[in-house]
Amino acid sequence: GQERAKKILAVVKKELEELADRSGITISYEKGAFDGGYCVLKAERLIVVNRKLVAGRRASVVAQAIA
């Protein structure tokens, strides 16, 4: 049910964060009027994600930015 889905999303989020880390990309969860995406700021590779998004959407933003 819903608890299982939350656990799966937590695992997916952790795996995506580990993949980004291994790729030299920092993930930052921030507030704002945006979904998020990949950017380079002063030579630092970043994925910025709106922390107000639902968990599934946050994972999707990170996955798309890594791809």
Side-chain angles (χ1 to χ4, degrees):
Q2 199 171 23
E3 285 303 311
R4 179 174 150 82
K6 285 182 183 180
K7 288 180 183 179
I8 291 169
L9 277 173
V11 169
V12 168
K13 179 180 177 259
K14 183 177 183 215
E15 289 176 353
L16 287 169
E17 289 171 342
E18 289 172 356
L19 176 60
D21 187 55
R22 287 193 306 272
S23 301
I25 302 169
T26 301
I27 299 177
S28 179
Y29 296 92
E30 306 291 339
K31 290 192 302 187
F34 60 92
D35 279 352
Y38 177 79
C39 65
V40 177
L41 178 64
K42 297 182 182 179
E44 183 178 4
R45 298 166 66 199
L46 298 169
I47 297 173
V48 181
V49 182
N50 187 332
R51 67 179 175 202
K52 299 282 186 176
L53 296 175
V54 296
R57 183 68 186 124
R58 285 193 308 263
S60 177
V61 168
V62 173
Q64 290 176 21
I66 290 172

